[in-house]
Amino acid sequence: PFAVLAGGLAAAGALILVQPGAPPPAPPERLVARGSGEALPTVALKVAVDSGKGLERHRRDEAYRTGTRVQFRVTLDRSADVALLRVDGDRTQVVTTSTLGPGDSDLKMGDQPLAWEVEAGESDARFVLLAAPSGALPADPVSGLSFDPATVGEPSGSVCAGVGHLACDERLLRIQP
């Protein structure tokens, strides 16, 4: 038994000596900084509509008519600064900005829920929610967006696909002509 134990220890020692070392670190000129070190919040945008029959969940396959009121709820895993944008084929506008805590929060104007009312002549649009750690949301949230305006109304189109430095979620709102 002693000989078996000694042989096993010798084999283990040889294995340790044969193992290659860790690769040398990259030279400083090849190192790349990645972000601010603070993780982005996890964000979800929920949309409800009132077409005159009371508040209902937004349906992706339904087109809404003039007069429909749209309300927004945000879910965050931590406190964050948020911006709600409306993006159509012609323009991008900031609807509101706010600082919200973790959990579910309705976007508000004063003490009332924020409601976007669909007006005559509006086209399909995406409501885009951007979120960043407190103090990290750009003063002009629109400046960092990169997307193809021709795809805004398409189900496969995405504004969030071109946003890499902020948390993002979006919902397409189809409008009846």
Side-chain angles (χ1 to χ4, degrees):
F2 180 72
V4 172
L5 180 61
L9 287 174
L15 226 151
I16 290 172
L17 292 175
V18 174
Q19 292 271 340
E29 63 274 6
R30 289 190 50 216
L31 297 177
V32 178
R34 303 270 187 216
S36 66
E38 188 170 359
L40 291 176
T42 300
V43 62
L45 176 63
K46 300 173 186 173
V47 177
V49 293
D50 185 351
S51 299
K53 301 177 270 179
L55 210 52
E56 301 174 327
R57 174 182 257 167
H58 167 255
R59 292 181 40 161
R60 295 173 198 209
D61 61 340
E62 189 167 331
Y64 296 96
R65 28 178 237 280
T66 300
T68 298
R69 294 174 56 84
V70 184
Q71 295 182 2
F72 309 92
R73 178 169 286 167
V74 176
T75 303
L76 293 165
D77 68 338
R78 66 191 75 168
S79 294
D81 292 339
V82 299
L84 179 68
L85 313 177
R86 182 185 178 278
V87 181
D88 62 26
D90 298 325
R91 65 185 174 143
T92 300
Q93 66 188 106
V94 178
V95 176
T96 190
T97 59
S98 183
T99 298
L100 301 174
D104 288 338
S105 301
D106 292 329
L107 291 180
K108 296 187 176 212
M109 291 295 280
D111 61 346
Q112 297 295 315
L114 170 70
W116 179 274
E117 187 165 334
V118 176
E119 296 179 356
E122 280 191 42
S123 60
D124 292 353
R126 289 187 183 274
F127 284 96
V128 178
L129 186 76
L130 302 175
S134 294
L137 189 68
D140 178 15
V142 175
S143 64
L145 297 182
S146 172
F147 62 94
D148 179 359
T151 65
V152 167
E154 300 297 318
S156 61
S158 174
V159 173
C160 287
V163 177
H165 59 290
L166 299 169
C168 186
D169 196 14
E170 63 188 309
R171 294 292 174 267
L172 173 62
L173 185 73
R174 296 198 171 282
I175 307 297
Q176 281 183 353

